[in-house]
PDB file of all heavy atoms in Angstrom:
ATOM      1  N   LYS F   5     -64.081-111.167  78.846  1.00  0.00           N
ATOM      2  CA  LYS F   5     -63.640-112.153  77.920  1.00  0.00           C
ATOM      3  C   LYS F   5     -64.245-113.552  78.235  1.00  0.00           C
ATOM      4  O   LYS F   5     -64.718-114.255  77.311  1.00  0.00           O
ATOM      5  CB  LYS F   5     -62.110-112.221  77.899  1.00  0.00           C
ATOM      6  CG  LYS F   5     -61.540-113.283  77.023  1.00  0.00           C
ATOM      7  CD  LYS F   5     -61.603-112.863  75.529  1.00  0.00           C
ATOM      8  CE  LYS F   5     -60.803-113.813  74.695  1.00  0.00           C
ATOM      9  NZ  LYS F   5     -60.873-113.458  73.211  1.00  0.00           N
ATOM     10  N   ALA F   6     -64.231-113.906  79.479  1.00  0.00           N
ATOM     11  CA  ALA F   6     -64.771-115.260  79.955  1.00  0.00           C
ATOM     12  C   ALA F   6     -66.276-115.370  79.712  1.00  0.00           C
ATOM     13  O   ALA F   6     -66.754-116.465  79.439  1.00  0.00           O
ATOM     14  CB  ALA F   6     -64.402-115.465  81.433  1.00  0.00           C
ATOM     15  N   THR F   7     -67.013-114.263  79.843  1.00  0.00           N
ATOM     16  CA  THR F   7     -68.502-114.397  79.781  1.00  0.00           C
ATOM     17  C   THR F   7     -69.116-113.788  78.492  1.00  0.00           C
ATOM     18  O   THR F   7     -70.357-113.887  78.345  1.00  0.00           O
ATOM     19  CB  THR F   7     -69.195-113.696  80.980  1.00  0.00           C
ATOM     20  OG1 THR F   7     -68.810-112.267  80.934  1.00  0.00           O
ATOM     21  CG2 THR F   7     -68.672-114.312  82.287  1.00  0.00           C
ATOM     22  N   SER F   8     -68.285-113.261  77.581  1.00  0.00           N
ATOM     23  CA  SER F   8     -68.802-112.800  76.387  1.00  0.00           C
ATOM     24  C   SER F   8     -68.016-113.233  75.153  1.00  0.00           C
ATOM     25  O   SER F   8     -68.479-113.109  74.001  1.00  0.00           O
ATOM     26  CB  SER F   8     -68.849-111.216  76.377  1.00  0.00           C
ATOM     27  OG  SER F   8     -67.598-110.706  76.135  1.00  0.00           O
ATOM     28  N   GLY F   9     -66.767-113.701  75.339  1.00  0.00           N
ATOM     29  CA  GLY F   9     -65.987-114.234  74.224  1.00  0.00           C
ATOM     30  C   GLY F   9     -65.197-113.016  73.553  1.00  0.00           C
ATOM     31  O   GLY F   9     -64.428-113.337  72.696  1.00  0.00           O
ATOM     32  N   SER F  10     -65.356-111.762  74.084  1.00  0.00           N
ATOM     33  CA  SER F  10     -64.582-110.647  73.417  1.00  0.00           C
ATOM     34  C   SER F  10     -64.340-109.642  74.479  1.00  0.00           C
ATOM     35  O   SER F  10     -64.829-109.679  75.594  1.00  0.00           O
ATOM     36  CB  SER F  10     -65.382-110.108  72.220  1.00  0.00           C
ATOM     37  OG  SER F  10     -66.237-109.097  72.663  1.00  0.00           O
ATOM     38  N   LEU F  11     -63.571-108.575  74.024  1.00  0.00           N
ATOM     39  CA  LEU F  11     -63.288-107.475  74.931  1.00  0.00           C
ATOM     40  C   LEU F  11     -63.951-106.182  74.388  1.00  0.00           C
ATOM     41  O   LEU F  11     -63.584-105.045  74.775  1.00  0.00           O
ATOM     42  CB  LEU F  11     -61.780-107.225  74.994  1.00  0.00           C
ATOM     43  CG  LEU F  11     -60.953-108.300  75.667  1.00  0.00           C
ATOM     44  CD1 LEU F  11     -59.460-108.043  75.676  1.00  0.00           C
ATOM     45  CD2 LEU F  11     -61.392-108.490  77.120  1.00  0.00           C
ATOM     46  N   GLU F  12     -65.001-106.374  73.617  1.00  0.00           N
ATOM     47  CA  GLU F  12     -65.714-105.173  73.081  1.00  0.00           C
ATOM     48  C   GLU F  12     -66.304-104.309  74.209  1.00  0.00           C
ATOM     49  O   GLU F  12     -66.959-104.881  75.097  1.00  0.00           O
ATOM     50  CB  GLU F  12     -66.784-105.670  72.097  1.00  0.00           C
ATOM     51  CG  GLU F  12     -67.460-104.494  71.356  1.00  0.00           C
ATOM     52  CD  GLU F  12     -68.519-104.991  70.367  1.00  0.00           C
ATOM     53  OE1 GLU F  12     -68.572-106.247  70.063  1.00  0.00           O
ATOM     54  OE2 GLU F  12     -69.307-104.215  69.946  1.00  0.00           O
ATOM     55  N   GLY F  13     -66.063-103.049  74.083  1.00  0.00           N
ATOM     56  CA  GLY F  13     -66.655-102.127  75.114  1.00  0.00           C
ATOM     57  C   GLY F  13     -65.827-102.029  76.415  1.00  0.00           C
ATOM     58  O   GLY F  13     -66.245-101.311  77.294  1.00  0.00           O
ATOM     59  N   LEU F  14     -64.685-102.670  76.449  1.00  0.00           N
ATOM     60  CA  LEU F  14     -63.863-102.657  77.654  1.00  0.00           C
ATOM     61  C   LEU F  14     -63.497-101.239  78.126  1.00  0.00           C
ATOM     62  O   LEU F  14     -63.538-100.896  79.257  1.00  0.00           O
ATOM     63  CB  LEU F  14     -62.628-103.475  77.521  1.00  0.00           C
ATOM     64  CG  LEU F  14     -61.626-103.578  78.605  1.00  0.00           C
ATOM     65  CD1 LEU F  14     -62.225-104.146  79.885  1.00  0.00           C
ATOM     66  CD2 LEU F  14     -60.394-104.354  78.240  1.00  0.00           C
ATOM     67  N   ASP F  15     -63.131-100.357  77.119  1.00  0.00           N
ATOM     68  CA  ASP F  15     -62.683 -99.059  77.415  1.00  0.00           C
ATOM     69  C   ASP F  15     -63.743 -98.161  78.095  1.00  0.00           C
ATOM     70  O   ASP F  15     -63.418 -97.078  78.613  1.00  0.00           O
ATOM     71  CB  ASP F  15     -62.249 -98.305  76.116  1.00  0.00           C
ATOM     72  CG  ASP F  15     -60.922 -98.876  75.568  1.00  0.00           C
ATOM     73  OD1 ASP F  15     -60.331 -99.672  76.346  1.00  0.00           O
ATOM     74  OD2 ASP F  15     -60.514 -98.572  74.443  1.00  0.00           O
ATOM     75  N   LEU F  16     -65.009 -98.576  78.035  1.00  0.00           N
ATOM     76  CA  LEU F  16     -66.091 -97.800  78.673  1.00  0.00           C
ATOM     77  C   LEU F  16     -66.633 -98.457  79.917  1.00  0.00           C
ATOM     78  O   LEU F  16     -67.608 -98.006  80.502  1.00  0.00           O
ATOM     79  CB  LEU F  16     -67.242 -97.655  77.650  1.00  0.00           C
ATOM     80  CG  LEU F  16     -66.843 -96.854  76.334  1.00  0.00           C
ATOM     81  CD1 LEU F  16     -68.040 -96.924  75.376  1.00  0.00           C
ATOM     82  CD2 LEU F  16     -66.622 -95.378  76.706  1.00  0.00           C
ATOM     83  N   LYS F  17     -66.023 -99.543  80.383  1.00  0.00           N
ATOM     84  CA  LYS F  17     -66.598-100.329  81.469  1.00  0.00           C
ATOM     85  C   LYS F  17     -66.445 -99.712  82.815  1.00  0.00           C
ATOM     86  O   LYS F  17     -67.148-100.001  83.785  1.00  0.00           O
ATOM     87  CB  LYS F  17     -65.919-101.723  81.514  1.00  0.00           C
ATOM     88  CG  LYS F  17     -66.552-102.691  80.548  1.00  0.00           C
ATOM     89  CD  LYS F  17     -67.894-103.146  81.018  1.00  0.00           C
ATOM     90  CE  LYS F  17     -68.572-104.142  80.043  1.00  0.00           C
ATOM     91  NZ  LYS F  17     -69.971-104.393  80.550  1.00  0.00           N
ATOM     92  N   LEU F  18     -65.446 -98.810  83.034  1.00  0.00           N
ATOM     93  CA  LEU F  18     -65.233 -98.212  84.329  1.00  0.00           C
ATOM     94  C   LEU F  18     -65.296 -96.695  84.205  1.00  0.00           C
ATOM     95  O   LEU F  18     -64.500 -96.067  83.570  1.00  0.00           O
ATOM     96  CB  LEU F  18     -63.862 -98.600  84.996  1.00  0.00           C
ATOM     97  CG  LEU F  18     -63.718 -98.016  86.371  1.00  0.00           C
ATOM     98  CD1 LEU F  18     -64.651 -98.808  87.386  1.00  0.00           C
ATOM     99  CD2 LEU F  18     -62.292 -98.179  86.839  1.00  0.00           C
ATOM    100  N   HIS F  19     -66.351 -96.059  84.785  1.00  0.00           N
ATOM    101  CA  HIS F  19     -66.637 -94.639  84.691  1.00  0.00           C
ATOM    102  C   HIS F  19     -66.105 -93.942  85.944  1.00  0.00           C
ATOM    103  O   HIS F  19     -66.330 -94.366  87.087  1.00  0.00           O
ATOM    104  CB  HIS F  19     -68.113 -94.412  84.530  1.00  0.00           C
ATOM    105  CG  HIS F  19     -68.499 -93.103  84.051  1.00  0.00           C
ATOM    106  ND1 HIS F  19     -68.574 -92.816  82.644  1.00  0.00           N
ATOM    107  CD2 HIS F  19     -68.885 -91.945  84.653  1.00  0.00           C
ATOM    108  CE1 HIS F  19     -68.920 -91.527  82.481  1.00  0.00           C
ATOM    109  NE2 HIS F  19     -69.107 -90.992  83.718  1.00  0.00           N
ATOM    110  N   ASP F  20     -65.409 -92.889  85.771  1.00  0.00           N
ATOM    111  CA  ASP F  20     -64.797 -92.085  86.858  1.00  0.00           C
ATOM    112  C   ASP F  20     -65.871 -91.231  87.507  1.00  0.00           C
ATOM    113  O   ASP F  20     -66.342 -90.252  86.874  1.00  0.00           O
ATOM    114  CB  ASP F  20     -63.686 -91.216  86.339  1.00  0.00           C
ATOM    115  CG  ASP F  20     -63.018 -90.321  87.362  1.00  0.00           C
ATOM    116  OD1 ASP F  20     -63.496 -90.370  88.520  1.00  0.00           O
ATOM    117  OD2 ASP F  20     -62.135 -89.543  87.051  1.00  0.00           O
ATOM    118  N   PHE F  21     -66.286 -91.533  88.767  1.00  0.00           N
ATOM    119  CA  PHE F  21     -67.180 -90.795  89.561  1.00  0.00           C
ATOM    120  C   PHE F  21     -66.540 -89.946  90.650  1.00  0.00           C
ATOM    121  O   PHE F  21     -67.194 -89.534  91.521  1.00  0.00           O
ATOM    122  CB  PHE F  21     -68.167 -91.817  90.285  1.00  0.00           C
ATOM    123  CG  PHE F  21     -69.260 -92.334  89.482  1.00  0.00           C
ATOM    124  CD1 PHE F  21     -69.461 -92.011  88.103  1.00  0.00           C
ATOM    125  CD2 PHE F  21     -70.238 -93.207  90.059  1.00  0.00           C
ATOM    126  CE1 PHE F  21     -70.512 -92.580  87.361  1.00  0.00           C
ATOM    127  CE2 PHE F  21     -71.282 -93.751  89.276  1.00  0.00           C
ATOM    128  CZ  PHE F  21     -71.400 -93.429  87.981  1.00  0.00           C
ATOM    129  N   GLY F  22     -65.211 -89.739  90.519  1.00  0.00           N
ATOM    130  CA  GLY F  22     -64.464 -89.307  91.687  1.00  0.00           C
ATOM    131  C   GLY F  22     -64.240 -87.833  91.876  1.00  0.00           C
ATOM    132  O   GLY F  22     -63.643 -87.422  92.825  1.00  0.00           O
ATOM    133  N   TYR F  23     -64.851 -86.981  90.984  1.00  0.00           N
ATOM    134  CA  TYR F  23     -64.523 -85.500  90.994  1.00  0.00           C
ATOM    135  C   TYR F  23     -64.762 -84.874  92.328  1.00  0.00           C
ATOM    136  O   TYR F  23     -63.915 -84.246  92.962  1.00  0.00           O
ATOM    137  CB  TYR F  23     -65.331 -84.842  89.879  1.00  0.00           C
ATOM    138  CG  TYR F  23     -64.878 -83.476  89.453  1.00  0.00           C
ATOM    139  CD1 TYR F  23     -65.372 -82.914  88.292  1.00  0.00           C
ATOM    140  CD2 TYR F  23     -63.944 -82.731  90.153  1.00  0.00           C
ATOM    141  CE1 TYR F  23     -64.865 -81.687  87.784  1.00  0.00           C
ATOM    142  CE2 TYR F  23     -63.464 -81.454  89.680  1.00  0.00           C
ATOM    143  CZ  TYR F  23     -64.027 -80.950  88.522  1.00  0.00           C
ATOM    144  OH  TYR F  23     -63.552 -79.777  88.038  1.00  0.00           O
ATOM    145  N   ARG F  24     -65.993 -85.138  92.870  1.00  0.00           N
ATOM    146  CA  ARG F  24     -66.346 -84.532  94.167  1.00  0.00           C
ATOM    147  C   ARG F  24     -65.620 -85.083  95.373  1.00  0.00           C
ATOM    148  O   ARG F  24     -65.645 -84.425  96.433  1.00  0.00           O
ATOM    149  CB  ARG F  24     -67.902 -84.665  94.409  1.00  0.00           C
ATOM    150  CG  ARG F  24     -68.311 -86.104  94.738  1.00  0.00           C
ATOM    151  CD  ARG F  24     -69.815 -86.270  94.661  1.00  0.00           C
ATOM    152  NE  ARG F  24     -70.337 -85.966  93.335  1.00  0.00           N
ATOM    153  CZ  ARG F  24     -71.628 -85.914  93.084  1.00  0.00           C
ATOM    154  NH1 ARG F  24     -72.536 -86.211  94.007  1.00  0.00           N
ATOM    155  NH2 ARG F  24     -72.043 -85.637  91.836  1.00  0.00           N
ATOM    156  N   GLY F  25     -65.042 -86.219  95.224  1.00  0.00           N
ATOM    157  CA  GLY F  25     -64.490 -86.922  96.368  1.00  0.00           C
ATOM    158  C   GLY F  25     -63.001 -86.708  96.576  1.00  0.00           C
ATOM    159  O   GLY F  25     -62.451 -87.215  97.563  1.00  0.00           O
ATOM    160  N   VAL F  26     -62.371 -85.904  95.704  1.00  0.00           N
ATOM    161  CA  VAL F  26     -60.958 -85.633  95.858  1.00  0.00           C
ATOM    162  C   VAL F  26     -60.696 -84.333  96.657  1.00  0.00           C
ATOM    163  O   VAL F  26     -61.604 -83.617  96.931  1.00  0.00           O
ATOM    164  CB  VAL F  26     -60.202 -85.593  94.547  1.00  0.00           C
ATOM    165  CG1 VAL F  26     -60.144 -86.931  93.915  1.00  0.00           C
ATOM    166  CG2 VAL F  26     -60.846 -84.653  93.572  1.00  0.00           C
ATOM    167  N   SER F  27     -59.451 -84.046  96.919  1.00  0.00           N
ATOM    168  CA  SER F  27     -59.073 -82.961  97.807  1.00  0.00           C
ATOM    169  C   SER F  27     -58.995 -81.601  97.150  1.00  0.00           C
ATOM    170  O   SER F  27     -58.962 -80.581  97.854  1.00  0.00           O
ATOM    171  CB  SER F  27     -57.752 -83.259  98.496  1.00  0.00           C
ATOM    172  OG  SER F  27     -56.710 -83.451  97.486  1.00  0.00           O
ATOM    173  N   SER F  28     -58.939 -81.520  95.863  1.00  0.00           N
ATOM    174  CA  SER F  28     -58.779 -80.224  95.165  1.00  0.00           C
ATOM    175  C   SER F  28     -59.061 -80.362  93.698  1.00  0.00           C
ATOM    176  O   SER F  28     -59.163 -81.476  93.153  1.00  0.00           O
ATOM    177  CB  SER F  28     -57.296 -79.696  95.352  1.00  0.00           C
ATOM    178  OG  SER F  28     -56.419 -80.591  94.656  1.00  0.00           O
ATOM    179  N   GLN F  29     -59.081 -79.207  93.050  1.00  0.00           N
ATOM    180  CA  GLN F  29     -59.277 -79.243  91.566  1.00  0.00           C
ATOM    181  C   GLN F  29     -58.080 -79.897  90.884  1.00  0.00           C
ATOM    182  O   GLN F  29     -58.267 -80.630  89.891  1.00  0.00           O
ATOM    183  CB  GLN F  29     -59.463 -77.777  91.088  1.00  0.00           C
ATOM    184  CG  GLN F  29     -60.779 -77.174  91.384  1.00  0.00           C
ATOM    185  CD  GLN F  29     -61.964 -77.788  90.731  1.00  0.00           C
ATOM    186  OE1 GLN F  29     -61.843 -78.259  89.519  1.00  0.00           O
ATOM    187  NE2 GLN F  29     -63.113 -77.746  91.372  1.00  0.00           N
ATOM    188  N   GLU F  30     -56.891 -79.635  91.433  1.00  0.00           N
ATOM    189  CA  GLU F  30     -55.720 -80.206  90.793  1.00  0.00           C
ATOM    190  C   GLU F  30     -55.643 -81.762  90.968  1.00  0.00           C
ATOM    191  O   GLU F  30     -55.295 -82.479  90.057  1.00  0.00           O
ATOM    192  CB  GLU F  30     -54.412 -79.612  91.341  1.00  0.00           C
ATOM    193  CG  GLU F  30     -53.227 -80.034  90.523  1.00  0.00           C
ATOM    194  CD  GLU F  30     -51.946 -79.277  90.884  1.00  0.00           C
ATOM    195  OE1 GLU F  30     -51.764 -78.924  92.081  1.00  0.00           O
ATOM    196  OE2 GLU F  30     -51.096 -79.069  89.963  1.00  0.00           O
ATOM    197  N   SER F  31     -56.103 -82.223  92.120  1.00  0.00           N
ATOM    198  CA  SER F  31     -56.147 -83.611  92.305  1.00  0.00           C
ATOM    199  C   SER F  31     -57.153 -84.236  91.250  1.00  0.00           C
ATOM    200  O   SER F  31     -56.862 -85.340  90.725  1.00  0.00           O
ATOM    201  CB  SER F  31     -56.621 -84.024  93.730  1.00  0.00           C
ATOM    202  OG  SER F  31     -55.660 -83.565  94.712  1.00  0.00           O
ATOM    203  N   ALA F  32     -58.297 -83.590  91.111  1.00  0.00           N
ATOM    204  CA  ALA F  32     -59.308 -84.108  90.191  1.00  0.00           C
ATOM    205  C   ALA F  32     -58.686 -84.154  88.775  1.00  0.00           C
ATOM    206  O   ALA F  32     -58.945 -85.103  88.027  1.00  0.00           O
ATOM    207  CB  ALA F  32     -60.513 -83.147  90.201  1.00  0.00           C
ATOM    208  N   ALA F  33     -57.934 -83.098  88.437  1.00  0.00           N
ATOM    209  CA  ALA F  33     -57.352 -83.049  87.077  1.00  0.00           C
ATOM    210  C   ALA F  33     -56.293 -84.139  86.871  1.00  0.00           C
ATOM    211  O   ALA F  33     -56.370 -84.921  85.934  1.00  0.00           O
ATOM    212  CB  ALA F  33     -56.723 -81.690  86.813  1.00  0.00           C
ATOM    213  N   LEU F  34     -55.371 -84.271  87.843  1.00  0.00           N
ATOM    214  CA  LEU F  34     -54.354 -85.289  87.767  1.00  0.00           C
ATOM    215  C   LEU F  34     -54.902 -86.687  87.795  1.00  0.00           C
ATOM    216  O   LEU F  34     -54.557 -87.565  86.982  1.00  0.00           O
ATOM    217  CB  LEU F  34     -53.342 -85.123  88.901  1.00  0.00           C
ATOM    218  CG  LEU F  34     -52.110 -84.316  88.659  1.00  0.00           C
ATOM    219  CD1 LEU F  34     -51.428 -83.975  89.991  1.00  0.00           C
ATOM    220  CD2 LEU F  34     -51.132 -84.914  87.666  1.00  0.00           C
ATOM    221  N   GLY F  35     -55.749 -86.969  88.764  1.00  0.00           N
ATOM    222  CA  GLY F  35     -56.329 -88.281  88.933  1.00  0.00           C
ATOM    223  C   GLY F  35     -57.248 -88.660  87.820  1.00  0.00           C
ATOM    224  O   GLY F  35     -57.267 -89.724  87.269  1.00  0.00           O
ATOM    225  N   GLY F  36     -58.049 -87.630  87.342  1.00  0.00           N
ATOM    226  CA  GLY F  36     -58.977 -87.842  86.246  1.00  0.00           C
ATOM    227  C   GLY F  36     -58.262 -88.212  84.989  1.00  0.00           C
ATOM    228  O   GLY F  36     -58.663 -89.117  84.233  1.00  0.00           O
ATOM    229  N   ALA F  37     -57.151 -87.421  84.685  1.00  0.00           N
ATOM    230  CA  ALA F  37     -56.318 -87.745  83.496  1.00  0.00           C
ATOM    231  C   ALA F  37     -55.715 -89.113  83.577  1.00  0.00           C
ATOM    232  O   ALA F  37     -55.592 -89.799  82.591  1.00  0.00           O
ATOM    233  CB  ALA F  37     -55.349 -86.610  83.269  1.00  0.00           C
ATOM    234  N   ALA F  38     -55.232 -89.490  84.781  1.00  0.00           N
ATOM    235  CA  ALA F  38     -54.573 -90.770  84.964  1.00  0.00           C
ATOM    236  C   ALA F  38     -55.513 -91.939  84.613  1.00  0.00           C
ATOM    237  O   ALA F  38     -55.144 -92.923  84.030  1.00  0.00           O
ATOM    238  CB  ALA F  38     -54.052 -90.874  86.413  1.00  0.00           C
ATOM    239  N   HIS F  39     -56.772 -91.793  85.073  1.00  0.00           N
ATOM    240  CA  HIS F  39     -57.753 -92.797  84.673  1.00  0.00           C
ATOM    241  C   HIS F  39     -57.939 -92.901  83.206  1.00  0.00           C
ATOM    242  O   HIS F  39     -58.169 -93.992  82.640  1.00  0.00           O
ATOM    243  CB  HIS F  39     -59.124 -92.495  85.398  1.00  0.00           C
ATOM    244  CG  HIS F  39     -60.219 -93.336  84.962  1.00  0.00           C
ATOM    245  ND1 HIS F  39     -60.286 -94.704  85.214  1.00  0.00           N
ATOM    246  CD2 HIS F  39     -61.364 -93.069  84.265  1.00  0.00           C
ATOM    247  CE1 HIS F  39     -61.394 -95.199  84.746  1.00  0.00           C
ATOM    248  NE2 HIS F  39     -62.056 -94.237  84.141  1.00  0.00           N
ATOM    249  N   LEU F  40     -57.873 -91.782  82.513  1.00  0.00           N
ATOM    250  CA  LEU F  40     -58.092 -91.726  81.074  1.00  0.00           C
ATOM    251  C   LEU F  40     -56.991 -92.310  80.315  1.00  0.00           C
ATOM    252  O   LEU F  40     -57.074 -92.558  79.082  1.00  0.00           O
ATOM    253  CB  LEU F  40     -58.378 -90.270  80.606  1.00  0.00           C
ATOM    254  CG  LEU F  40     -59.724 -89.713  81.124  1.00  0.00           C
ATOM    255  CD1 LEU F  40     -59.725 -88.214  80.789  1.00  0.00           C
ATOM    256  CD2 LEU F  40     -60.893 -90.350  80.490  1.00  0.00           C
ATOM    257  N   VAL F  41     -55.861 -92.674  80.978  1.00  0.00           N
ATOM    258  CA  VAL F  41     -54.781 -93.463  80.296  1.00  0.00           C
ATOM    259  C   VAL F  41     -55.390 -94.861  79.947  1.00  0.00           C
ATOM    260  O   VAL F  41     -54.988 -95.455  78.903  1.00  0.00           O
ATOM    261  CB  VAL F  41     -53.570 -93.656  81.220  1.00  0.00           C
ATOM    262  CG1 VAL F  41     -52.615 -94.657  80.740  1.00  0.00           C
ATOM    263  CG2 VAL F  41     -52.925 -92.272  81.402  1.00  0.00           C
ATOM    264  N   ASN F  42     -56.338 -95.391  80.717  1.00  0.00           N
ATOM    265  CA  ASN F  42     -56.767 -96.774  80.533  1.00  0.00           C
ATOM    266  C   ASN F  42     -58.221 -96.838  80.009  1.00  0.00           C
ATOM    267  O   ASN F  42     -58.582 -97.883  79.375  1.00  0.00           O
ATOM    268  CB  ASN F  42     -56.733 -97.471  81.880  1.00  0.00           C
ATOM    269  CG  ASN F  42     -55.375 -97.431  82.464  1.00  0.00           C
ATOM    270  OD1 ASN F  42     -54.400 -98.055  81.974  1.00  0.00           O
ATOM    271  ND2 ASN F  42     -55.202 -96.700  83.605  1.00  0.00           N
ATOM    272  N   PHE F  43     -59.027 -95.839  80.290  1.00  0.00           N
ATOM    273  CA  PHE F  43     -60.493 -95.896  79.950  1.00  0.00           C
ATOM    274  C   PHE F  43     -60.848 -94.539  79.227  1.00  0.00           C
ATOM    275  O   PHE F  43     -60.106 -93.567  79.324  1.00  0.00           O
ATOM    276  CB  PHE F  43     -61.350 -96.038  81.151  1.00  0.00           C
ATOM    277  CG  PHE F  43     -61.207 -97.411  81.793  1.00  0.00           C
ATOM    278  CD1 PHE F  43     -60.227 -97.656  82.810  1.00  0.00           C
ATOM    279  CD2 PHE F  43     -62.057 -98.503  81.424  1.00  0.00           C
ATOM    280  CE1 PHE F  43     -60.118 -98.880  83.426  1.00  0.00           C
ATOM    281  CE2 PHE F  43     -61.919 -99.739  81.994  1.00  0.00           C
ATOM    282  CZ  PHE F  43     -60.967 -99.965  83.011  1.00  0.00           C
ATOM    283  N   CYS F  44     -62.002 -94.541  78.616  1.00  0.00           N
ATOM    284  CA  CYS F  44     -62.584 -93.351  77.909  1.00  0.00           C
ATOM    285  C   CYS F  44     -63.864 -92.911  78.563  1.00  0.00           C
ATOM    286  O   CYS F  44     -64.606 -92.165  77.940  1.00  0.00           O
ATOM    287  CB  CYS F  44     -62.821 -93.716  76.455  1.00  0.00           C
ATOM    288  SG  CYS F  44     -61.331 -94.279  75.602  1.00  0.00           S
ATOM    289  N   SER F  45     -64.158 -93.289  79.797  1.00  0.00           N
ATOM    290  CA  SER F  45     -65.462 -93.011  80.369  1.00  0.00           C
ATOM    291  C   SER F  45     -65.236 -92.299  81.655  1.00  0.00           C
ATOM    292  O   SER F  45     -64.613 -92.731  82.590  1.00  0.00           O
ATOM    293  CB  SER F  45     -66.106 -94.365  80.619  1.00  0.00           C
ATOM    294  OG  SER F  45     -67.441 -94.221  80.954  1.00  0.00           O
ATOM    295  N   THR F  46     -65.797 -91.056  81.733  1.00  0.00           N
ATOM    296  CA  THR F  46     -65.614 -90.208  82.940  1.00  0.00           C
ATOM    297  C   THR F  46     -66.646 -89.168  83.126  1.00  0.00           C
ATOM    298  O   THR F  46     -67.224 -88.679  82.162  1.00  0.00           O
ATOM    299  CB  THR F  46     -64.172 -89.572  82.853  1.00  0.00           C
ATOM    300  OG1 THR F  46     -63.961 -88.897  84.068  1.00  0.00           O
ATOM    301  CG2 THR F  46     -64.112 -88.548  81.744  1.00  0.00           C
ATOM    302  N   ASP F  47     -66.832 -88.689  84.384  1.00  0.00           N
ATOM    303  CA  ASP F  47     -67.596 -87.554  84.681  1.00  0.00           C
ATOM    304  C   ASP F  47     -66.686 -86.473  85.269  1.00  0.00           C
ATOM    305  O   ASP F  47     -67.159 -85.439  85.779  1.00  0.00           O
ATOM    306  CB  ASP F  47     -68.749 -87.864  85.681  1.00  0.00           C
ATOM    307  CG  ASP F  47     -70.076 -87.923  84.948  1.00  0.00           C
ATOM    308  OD1 ASP F  47     -70.136 -88.349  83.791  1.00  0.00           O
ATOM    309  OD2 ASP F  47     -71.081 -87.572  85.544  1.00  0.00           O
TER     310      ASP F  47
END
């Protein structure tokens, strides 16, 4: 907002790179879905 005057594209600004770094498939699912509460960008 401070450097562009708008919030356009905010939902895509943080991409989840965390799949390989968690402890299990279920952690990836729970954590990955939790991130998607706030953003729409993920691997």
Side-chain angles (χ1 to χ4, degrees):
K5 179 77 171 175
T7 62
S8 76
S10 89
L11 294 177
E12 189 179 343
L14 177 61
D15 290 349
L16 296 169
K17 278 286 178 187
L18 186 69
H19 198 84
D20 176 1
F21 279 1
Y23 201 163
R24 70 191 60 186
V26 292
S27 58
S28 67
Q29 289 292 329
E30 189 172 35
S31 295
L34 267 170
H39 171 66
L40 292 170
V41 169
N42 304 293
F43 292 91
C44 301
S45 193
T46 185
D47 256 35

